[in-house]
Amino acid sequence: METESGARPGESTSDPAARGPERALLAPALDAVRSTGAAFLLRGDPGMGKTALLDWAEERAVHAGLRVLRMAGTEAESVLSFAALHQVLWPLLDTAHSLPDGQRHLLEAALGVRADEAPEAGEVAGAALALLARAASRRPIVLLLDGLQWADPSSAAVFRLIGSRAAGLPLVVIGATRHGSRYAVRGAGRPIDLEPLDDARAGDLLRALHPHLAEWARRRVLRAAGGNPLALRDLPAELERAAPDRLAVHVDPETGELLGELPLGERLGRLYEDRLRALPEDAHHLLLLAALGGSATPGAAAGESAAPAEAGGARTADDTHTTIGARTAGTWRRIEDSGLARVDPRTGRVRFHHPLVRAGLVHTASSAERRAAHRGLAEALPPHSPQRLAHLAAAAIGPDDDLAARLASAARTMAERGGEAEAASVMARAAGLTADPEARAARLVAAAALAARGGRLRFADRLLAEAQNEARPRTPRPAALYALAVAYVRLHLDGDPTPAVEGLPAVLDAAAPFSDAGRRAALLEPALFVLVIVASHTGDDRARAALERHVGEASELTALCHQAWADPPRTAREVPARLRAAVAAQAAGPADPLAARLLLWTAMAVDAVGDHAELWDRLSSRSTYVTQAFIELARTHDDFLHGRWDQSLALARRGAAASAAHGYGFNEMMFLLHHGQVLAGRGDTAGLEAVARTLSPWAADRHLRLVTGRLLGLRALCALGHGRAGEAWHHVRSLTPPGVPLPRLPWIQLTLLDFAQAAVETGHRVEAQAHLRAVREAGIGAVSPHHAFLVAAAEALAAADDAAEDRYEAAYALPGAEEWPFELARLHLAHGACLRRRSRRREAAARLTAAHAVFERLRAAPWAGQAARELAAAGGPGSEAAGAERPAGELRNPLSAQESRIAELAAEGLTNREIGARLRLSPRTVGAHLYKIFPKLGITTRGAMARALREAGTDDAQRRSCGP
C-alpha cells in the first residue's frame, strides 16, 4: 500500500536525523505513554519526512515493548466509508467480544463484518475508542496515521475523537497529513509543522545520504530540492540517470547554473502532479513559462501587456521568483487558490510555493509544450542574452550550426571560469546541434575532455564512444585531444595504461612544437603527466622514452615531477629543495589543479607530502573531486608513513568509496593499496590477503609494477610481524634479488628494512650486506631524509656484530628519525633484542619499552607481542604484556633461540649441512639440536616441522642477533 509520499509503509524517505527537533517533541510522549497519553499531528508538504518520522516512532515504540497500530491512507480508498479505520482496528477485532453488544455490532457493521447498514461516524467513534481503551490497558498502544488527507471522512471523524481523548489513556496518536488538507485544519492533536530544512540541515542530510556527490551536482540538488528531504534523497540518482542532453539544454551560460527542466523520477514527479493537472489550461501555460524562465521571464513572453511600472524589469536570483505581467483576476485567483504559486503585489513577480512545483510543471508538460514555451521565452529576450541562447537550445529539435557554434563558445567561456563539469553538458548539446559529422565528433571530443577535467568520468567515456561512432573509420579530430582524453579516461576509469603507452607517444611526436601557451596547457602538460603516472606504475619503456623526448618542452613543474620518478636514486637528489621552492611559488598564486597534482605526485616520490600540508589544505577547499581525491590519496600514504594509522585507514576507506561512486577505478584501487599498508603493519593477514585478492589480478592484467611490487613488500612486512621470516625472505627476494643492480622500482626504499630483517633471520646476512652496499652506491639515501633513515636502519639490522652498535647510533642520529615512528620502533626492537642477548639488560629494556609503546599505539599487535616478550626476557616490565598478548591456551615456543633458527631452516627443507653452513655450525651439531627439537615439538619427522612451529608460536625475536 502506498503512502502519501510514494513510499511503501515502513520505507523511510529521508533520514530521520534531519528532523531532530521534531523527534525531540515526540520522544517524551512515547516514553511516558504508560502513565499518560498524547496526540500529535504532523503537517507538511509531500516529501517533508512525515513518513520517516512515523517510521522512527514505530521503531522506538517496538523497542519499548509497545503495541503499534498503523494506517496508510490512499487516494483510491478515500471514498470508501471506514476504509482507513479498518486498517487500524482489524488487528483488535478478535477482542471485540468483550465490548457491549451494541458497540460490538457498530464496529462489525462499520468494518464490513456484519451485513448491516453502515452506521454514523459519531456512533462508531465511541465504540472504537472503547475497543482501543481496553486493548491499551493491557499493553500501551501507539497509533500511527499516515496520509490523513486521503482518509475517508467517516474514518477521519473517528480519528479526531480518538485524538481528543488520548490524554486519558495509555495511547499516543501521531497523525500525518499535508498542509491544506481538511484534517490539517480540523484535526485533533498538537500540530507539528514540518517546514523545508534550512540550508545547514539540508546540506548535512545530503552529505549523509550521498557523501560522494560531485560538487556541481551537490549545488544543483540543494537548490532544486529546496529543503525537501525526499528530493535530497532521490534527485542525485535522477541526475545520474538523466540523458546528457536533457541536462545540457538548461544551462545558463552566464552563471553556470542549470535551469529549467529538472529530471524527476516517478516518486518526485507525483508530489504535486494532481494539483498541477487540476489547473485550467491557461493557468498551467502561464506557470510553465514562469517555471522555464529562470531568473528572467519577461511578461511579454506570456503575451501580456507590460508589467506595472514599479515592477517592470525587476530581476532577482531567487530560483522560486519570476516576473510575469498582469493576468486576469480570475486566472490568478485559481492559481493562488491551488496553493502552488502567487503573485507578489509589490513586485508583480510569481512566487512558487516550492522549487519542486517548478520542476513538477516541467515534468508534467509534454515535450512539445516545453519547446513551445522555450521558443516564446527566447523570442522575448534580447538577441545577445545568454538566457536567450539557453532557451533556443532547449527549443531546437534539429541541426542548427549557428546555434551550435554559439553554444560551443559559451561552453569554452564557462570552462575558463572553472565550470568544466557544466561546460561539458553545454558542449555536448552543441555537438547534438551540429550538422557535419566530423565537426560533431570534434565537439564531442571537446565535451569529453571537459567532462574528464570536471570529474564526470563516465559521461566522458560515453562522449568518446559517440565521437568514435561519428568519425568511423577514422580517428576523431582533433586526434591529439582525442588520444589524450582516451588515455586519461581509460587510465582513471579502470586503471588501463594501454591507450596512454600506445597513443600518447605518437601524438606527441607528430605534434607541432608547443610554442603556443594555450596549446601547451591544454595538451602537452596533461599528456606528459599521464605518461609520468603510467611510467612510474608500469615501468613501460615506451612511456619512459616519450617522456625523455618531450620533457624538455614542458613546464618546470612537469620536468620536476618527471625527475622525481624517472630513476629516484640518480635523478631525485635535488628534488626536495626544488619542490620547496615550487610549492612556495604555487602558494603565492592562484590555484591551478594540474600544478597541484604535479606537485603532489612529486612530493610522494620523495616522501615529502606532509611537509607542505598548508598548500594541500588550500587547494582541497577550492578544487573539484579530481584534485581533492589526489590530495586524499597522497595524504593516506603520508599518514601511514608518519604513524597516523587510524587516520590513514579512515581516509583510505572513504577515498575508495568516493572513487567507486565517481567511477574512478584507478583511484579506488590505489586507496585499497594504502588500506593494505595499515593491515600489513598491524599483522592482519586475512585482511591483507583479501585486499591482495582484489588488487593482484587487477594490477597483473595491467602490468602495474608499482602495485604488484608494493603488495610483495606488504606481504613480507605482515609475515615478519608474525615471525615468518622464511616467507618474508621469499617475498623480498622476488621483489629485488640480492647482488644484482637495483631495479627502477618505485618506493623500493619502503622494503629496505624488511629485506634486511628477513635476510638476517634466515641466515642470509651476507646477501643483505651486499644488497645494502648496492643501495648505498646507487644513492637512494640521498633522495630524502626518509630515504636516508631507511638505508641507515637497514644497514644497522644487517651489520656484523662488531659494527652493529655504531650503525644503530648513526641511524638514531639522523635528522627527522622520529618522524617515522613505526620504522624507528622496529629499529628499537632489533637493537633492544641485540642488547639483551649481550646481557646489557638495562639498555635493552629502554629500547624495548620505547618500541612496545609505539606498537601499542599503532595497534600493531604482533610487533607489540615481540617487543613485550623481549622485554620480559630482559627483565623489564613487559612480562604481563607478553602473557596478555598470547591468547589463552596458546602454547609458548619451547625452543631456545638457536633451536628456533635451526627448526625454521629445517622446516624450509634445508639439510643439516646447509643449515650448518648458514649458522656456522657443524652438521653434527645441527643433528644434535634436532634430536632435542623433535620431542620438544612433539614430532618425529621433518615434514611436521612447519606445522609444529606454527602451533608453538615461533618467536623470531629470540633469533635476532647483532652478529653471526
Side-chain angles (χ1 to χ4, degrees):
M1 184 177 297
E2 297 292 318
T3 65
E4 59 91 13
S5 65
R8 297 189 179 280
E11 178 189 351
S12 176
T13 59
S14 70
D15 184 349
R19 292 297 183 186
E22 292 81 4
R23 288 191 302 161
L25 294 174
L26 298 173
L30 292 170
D31 295 342
V33 65
R34 289 180 170 84
S35 57
T36 183
F40 301 89
L41 184 65
L42 308 177
R43 304 185 300 193
D45 277 0
M48 285 297 172
K50 300 184 293 296
T51 298
L53 273 171
L54 294 181
D55 292 343
W56 168 81
E58 179 174 9
E59 182 179 354
R60 189 181 183 99
V62 170
H63 183 72
L66 310 178
R67 183 167 191 173
V68 177
L69 302 174
R70 187 159 182 170
M71 181 277 295
T74 61
E75 190 173 12
E77 295 183 353
S78 61
V79 295
L80 303 177
S81 294
F82 298 111
L85 184 65
H86 186 285
Q87 294 184 50
V88 171
L89 295 187
W90 188 258
L92 303 179
L93 201 58
D94 59 350
T95 64
H97 63 274
S98 61
L99 295 175
D101 289 346
Q103 290 183 328
R104 188 178 74 254
H105 292 164
L106 284 171
L107 287 177
E108 290 175 345
L111 301 183
V113 176
R114 181 181 296 273
D116 292 348
E117 182 178 347
E120 293 294 328
E123 298 174 318
V124 174
L129 184 63
L131 182 62
L132 282 169
R134 288 174 182 267
S137 66
R138 293 188 294 271
R139 183 181 175 192
I141 290 175
V142 175
L143 179 59
L144 305 176
L145 308 172
D146 199 1
L148 278 171
Q149 72 278 359
W150 284 325
D152 59 276
S154 300
S155 296
V158 175
F159 293 149
R160 290 191 191 97
L161 176 65
I162 293 172
S164 66
R165 305 286 180 84
L169 300 171
L171 171 69
V172 171
V173 181
I174 306 176
T177 190
R178 289 181 178 179
H179 278 311
S181 72
R182 288 174 299 175
Y183 204 100
V185 176
R186 299 173 54 198
R190 178 183 176 181
I192 300 177
D193 289 325
L194 273 63
E195 300 298 338
L197 301 177
D198 58 33
D199 291 345
R201 285 201 292 169
D204 290 343
L205 179 58
L206 185 61
R207 276 188 291 272
L209 295 172
H210 303 280
H212 311 305
L213 194 64
E215 183 59 27
W216 71 272
R218 181 178 178 275
R219 290 196 305 269
R220 186 179 186 195
V221 167
L222 285 173
R223 178 175 177 179
N228 184 297
L230 180 63
L232 292 168
R233 174 179 290 278
D234 285 6
L235 277 175
E238 298 304 328
L239 283 172
E240 180 70 22
R241 285 193 288 265
D245 62 339
R246 192 174 181 190
L247 297 177
V249 296
H250 302 296
V251 177
D252 183 338
E254 183 176 47
T255 66
E257 296 290 347
L258 297 166
L259 302 176
E261 184 179 0
L262 184 72
L264 298 180
E266 180 184 356
R267 194 155 67 161
L268 289 176
R270 290 200 308 266
L271 294 188
Y272 296 98
E273 183 176 5
D274 53 343
R275 296 162 69 182
L276 290 171
R277 294 196 184 281
L279 290 172
E281 183 177 351
D282 59 342
H284 192 280
H285 176 68
L286 174 61
L287 288 182
L288 179 61
L289 287 170
L292 294 174
S295 61
T297 303
E304 298 298 327
S305 57
E310 66 274 14
R315 300 284 176 89
T316 178
D318 188 335
D319 191 47
T320 62
H321 301 172
T322 303
T323 302
I324 296 292
R327 271 288 185 181
T328 63
T331 301
W332 278 115
R333 190 178 303 113
R334 285 191 291 272
I335 290 175
E336 294 189 356
D337 287 346
S338 73
L340 296 170
R342 65 182 181 86
V343 177
D344 188 326
R346 295 179 298 102
T347 63
R349 300 182 66 79
V350 176
R351 297 177 181 267
F352 285 96
H353 171 69
H354 190 274
L356 288 174
V357 174
R358 167 176 290 177
L361 279 159
V362 180
H363 179 80
T364 57
S366 68
S367 58
E369 289 173 329
R370 291 194 298 269
R371 287 196 299 271
H374 279 298
R375 279 195 297 271
L377 290 165
E379 291 169 0
L381 287 163
H384 299 293
S385 166
Q387 289 84 5
R388 185 173 191 270
L389 181 62
H391 289 305
L392 288 174
I397 56 175
D400 186 330
D401 286 329
D402 177 66
L403 180 58
R406 293 171 61 194
L407 281 172
S409 176
R412 287 189 288 270
T413 300
M414 291 172 65
E416 290 170 0
R417 296 174 179 174
E420 290 96 341
E422 296 91 342
S425 292
V426 178
M427 187 65 79
R429 181 56 175 155
L433 295 173
T434 303
D436 178 63
E438 186 171 345
R440 184 161 58 248
R443 283 175 175 154
L444 286 169
V445 170
L450 290 170
R453 285 162 49 193
R456 301 175 67 184
L457 210 59
R458 297 187 184 99
F459 184 27
D461 194 41
R462 294 200 299 269
L463 292 170
L464 290 170
E466 290 181 36
Q468 182 63 53
N469 289 333
E470 288 288 346
R472 289 187 187 279
R474 296 175 298 173
T475 299
R477 302 290 173 182
L481 184 59
Y482 175 77
L484 174 59
V486 170
Y488 181 91
V489 169
R490 297 317 308 171
L491 177 64
H492 287 87
L493 197 63
D494 61 11
D496 184 6
T498 306
V501 297
E502 293 183 351
L504 290 184
V507 165
L508 292 176
D509 291 342
F514 293 96
S515 56
D516 178 71
R519 182 174 171 79
R520 178 191 301 274
L523 183 63
L524 175 66
E525 304 294 340
L528 290 178
F529 185 38
V530 169
L531 286 174
V532 168
I533 293 176
V534 167
S536 59
H537 280 81
T538 66
D540 192 286
D541 289 337
R542 292 168 293 179
R544 290 183 182 278
L547 283 166
E548 293 294 341
R549 289 195 300 273
H550 295 284
V551 75
E553 308 165 37
S555 69
E556 182 180 353
L557 292 186
T558 299
L560 181 63
C561 189
H562 171 253
Q563 183 180 347
W565 287 96
D567 187 5
R570 299 171 181 82
T571 63
R573 300 185 187 189
E574 299 177 0
V575 166
R578 292 180 58 196
L579 175 64
R580 286 192 294 273
V583 166
Q586 184 67 22
D592 181 347
L594 178 59
R597 296 196 286 275
L598 284 164
L599 289 171
L600 263 172
W601 195 239
T602 303
M604 287 184 75
V606 294
D607 297 340
V609 171
D611 296 344
H612 311 290
E614 291 184 3
L615 176 61
W616 317 139
D617 289 339
R618 185 175 72 91
L619 290 170
S620 182
S621 63
R622 304 181 184 181
S623 302
T624 62
Y625 162 76
V626 183
T627 301
Q628 289 174 354
F630 215 76
I631 293 171
E632 294 290 285
L633 196 61
R635 281 179 161 165
T636 304
H637 180 61
D638 189 67
D639 284 340
F640 172 76
L641 296 182
H642 284 86
R644 297 184 291 268
W645 285 9
D646 287 340
Q647 187 170 316
S648 178
L649 203 60
L651 283 174
R653 289 170 174 164
R654 186 177 69 198
S659 299
H662 286 284
Y664 280 73
F666 179 79
N667 283 359
E668 181 185 3
M669 294 297 102
M670 294 306 294
F671 275 116
L672 190 59
L673 178 65
H674 295 333
H675 184 181
Q677 292 185 139
V678 179
L679 298 179
R682 287 178 170 168
D684 185 347
T685 304
L688 178 61
E689 286 308 309
V691 168
R693 282 194 295 273
T694 299
L695 280 177
S696 292
W698 175 83
D701 288 346
R702 293 157 179 79
H703 306 289
L704 300 177
R705 282 200 320 156
L706 184 148
V707 178
T708 55
R710 188 67 183 127
L711 279 175
L712 281 172
L714 294 179
R715 281 174 159 149
L717 173 62
C718 192
L720 287 170
H722 288 284
R724 301 193 298 268
E727 179 186 330
W729 176 242
H730 169 74
H731 291 314
V732 295
R733 187 171 50 187
S734 301
L735 179 63
T736 171
V740 299
L742 292 178
R744 296 169 77 177
L745 188 66
W747 289 344
I748 189 67
Q749 77 278 7
L750 300 181
T751 64
L752 290 178
L753 273 182
D754 306 323
F755 191 101
Q757 182 179 340
V760 169
E761 293 182 359
T762 56
H764 296 88
R765 186 184 302 276
V766 174
E767 288 96 324
Q769 291 170 345
H771 181 71
L772 291 171
R773 279 196 297 273
V775 166
R776 176 70 69 178
E777 291 169 2
I780 286 182
V783 172
S784 77
H786 189 214
H787 287 69
F789 174 73
L790 291 174
V791 172
E795 289 175 336
L797 263 64
D801 196 23
D802 56 353
E805 190 66 26
D806 290 341
R807 293 287 190 179
Y808 281 115
E809 294 302 330
Y812 298 143
L814 286 174
E818 67 282 353
E819 292 287 324
W820 325 103
F822 178 60
E823 291 145 346
L824 181 60
R826 290 179 63 184
L827 194 63
H828 283 309
L829 173 59
H831 192 191
C834 175
L835 293 169
R836 193 266 302 170
R837 280 186 291 277
R838 291 179 167 188
S839 298
R840 295 163 61 179
R841 295 180 179 274
R842 181 173 296 181
E843 296 168 82
R847 297 292 180 189
L848 294 169
T849 300
H852 185 264
V854 171
F855 293 142
E856 284 287 308
R857 178 177 65 79
L858 297 176
R859 289 191 283 144
W863 294 96
Q866 290 188 32
R869 291 191 292 275
E870 280 289 349
L871 192 54
S879 302
E880 294 180 4
E885 187 275 336
R886 188 180 301 276
E890 182 178 334
L891 296 176
R892 291 186 59 85
N893 178 25
L895 307 181
S896 68
Q898 185 79 305
E899 288 171 342
S900 293
R901 298 171 70 189
I902 292 171
E904 182 174 276
L905 295 175
E908 293 178 12
L910 274 66
T911 66
N912 289 5
R913 185 175 298 278
E914 290 170 331
I915 295 172
R918 291 200 180 181
L919 302 183
R920 300 184 182 181
L921 301 172
S922 71
R924 179 175 296 181
T925 301
V926 172
H929 279 297
L930 287 172
Y931 181 78
K932 297 177 182 178
I933 289 170
F934 277 33
K936 285 184 177 182
L937 295 179
I939 60 175
T940 58
T941 66
R942 286 179 182 248
M945 186 75 74
R947 178 184 57 81
L949 288 174
R950 287 195 299 271
E951 292 177 353
T954 303
D955 187 358
D956 258 329
Q958 293 181 1
R959 299 194 300 278
R960 298 178 190 273
S961 175
C962 300

